[in-house]
């Protein structure tokens, strides 16, 4: 179960970074901010437990 949690955290962080980059490329700031928020949730999840 612990490995599944770590994989979920890694996927969340990577998807947040990817979404932020896509938002920057298409020049849509709200998409970039959303990606940064998703990445932040993944980072907080790492340190939560």
């Amino acid at each position: 179960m612990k490995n599944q949690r770590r994989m979920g955290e890694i996927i969340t962080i990577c998807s947040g970074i990817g979404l932020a980059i896509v938002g920057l490329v298409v020049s849509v700031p709200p998409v970039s901010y959303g990606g940064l928020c998703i990445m932040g949730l993944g980072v907080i999840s790492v340190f939560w437990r």
Side-chain angles (χ1 to χ4, degrees), residues 29-45:
V31 174
S32 294
Y33 298 146
L36 292 176
C37 290
I38 292 170
M39 184 188 68
L41 287 173
V43 170
I44 288 172
S45 178

Side-chain angles (χ1 to χ4, degrees), residues 7-30:
M7 286 303 296
E9 291 165 348
I10 291 169
I11 291 169
T12 303
I13 292 170
C14 291
S15 65
I17 292 171
L19 191 59
I21 291 171
V22 167
L24 287 173
V25 169
V26 296
S27 299
V28 182

